[in-house]
C-alpha cells in the first residue's frame, strides 16, 4: 500500500499549503486562507458550521453567514481540485472539519517548545 500524501500548512511567516514538498502559495483570498487555518488548528474535530459562520461573519444574519461559509468551503474545494488535490474536508449537515492528515507548522513549533529544555542563563 502506498504512503498517503502528506499535507502541511504553513501559518508562521507567509501562508502556504504544501503537499509532498510542493508549495501552493496564495491559495486564495485572505478569508479563504484564514478559514483553512482555522479548520487546521482543530484537526479531526467536527466544528459546528453555525459557530464557524458566526466567527467569520459576525455582523451578518445567521442565514447569510452560513451561506458565506458554504460558499467559501466550496471555493476551497475548487482550489484544491484546481491543483489536482483532493479537498480534505469532511462535512456534515451541521458540522465541518478537516479529514485528511494535515500538519501545521504552528503545532510543530509548539511541540518542539514543549519538549525543549531551557537552561538558565548565567550572568
Amino acid at each position: 500500500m502506498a504512503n498517503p500524501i502528506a499535507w502541511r500548512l504553513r501559518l508562521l511567516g507567509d501562508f502556504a499549503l504544501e503537499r509532498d514538498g510542493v508549495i501552493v502559495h496564495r491559495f486564495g483570498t485572505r478569508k479563504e486562507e484564514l478559514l483553512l487555518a482555522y479548520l487546521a488548528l482543530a484537526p479531526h474535530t467536527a466544528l459546528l458550521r453555525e459557530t464557524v459562520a458566526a466567527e467569520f461573519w459576525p455582523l451578518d444574519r445567521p442565514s447569510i453567514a452560513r451561506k458565506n461559509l458554504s460558499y467559501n468551503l466550496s471555493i476551497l474545494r475548487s482550489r484544491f481540485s484546481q491543483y489536482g488535490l483532493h479537498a480534505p474536508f469532511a462535512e456534515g449537515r451541521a458540522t465541518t472539519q478537516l479529514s485528511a492528515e494535515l500538519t501545521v507548522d504552528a503545532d510543530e513549533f509548539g511541540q518542539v517548545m514543549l519538549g525543549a529544555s531551557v537552561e538558565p542563563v548565567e550572568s
Side-chain angles (χ1 to χ4, degrees):
M1 175 183 265
N3 289 339
I5 296 175
W7 292 79
R8 184 170 185 266
L9 186 60
R10 186 184 321 155
L11 301 179
L12 303 174
D14 292 333
F15 180 93
L17 178 65
E18 302 175 358
R19 188 172 183 194
D20 270 359
V22 176
I23 298 173
V24 179
H25 291 283
R26 296 296 307 159
F27 196 74
T29 66
R30 186 68 178 146
K31 182 74 88 170
E32 293 165 17
E33 290 175 353
L34 291 171
L35 180 57
L36 183 56
Y38 184 87
L39 295 173
L41 290 174
H44 310 294
T45 302
L47 301 172
L48 290 174
R49 293 173 70 93
E50 194 81 26
T51 302
V52 176
E55 288 285 330
F56 277 79
W57 295 276
L59 301 178
D60 291 340
R61 290 191 327 258
S63 61
I64 300 298
R66 285 190 306 272
K67 285 180 184 177
N68 287 335
L69 175 61
S70 293
Y71 173 76
N72 278 271
L73 288 171
S74 173
I75 292 296
L76 283 173
R77 279 191 297 277
S78 170
R79 295 221 188 274
F80 273 91
S81 66
Q82 177 180 6
Y83 295 104
L85 308 174
H86 175 69
F89 301 107
E91 296 181 78
R93 184 164 174 79
T95 62
T96 189
Q97 73 183 66
L98 287 179
S99 61
E101 190 61 36
L102 180 69
T103 60
V104 180
D105 64 352
D107 290 340
E108 294 166 356
F109 178 75
Q111 291 300 315
V112 167
M113 293 308 293
L114 283 175
S117 160
V118 179
E119 297 292 324
V121 177
E122 294 182 26
S123 48

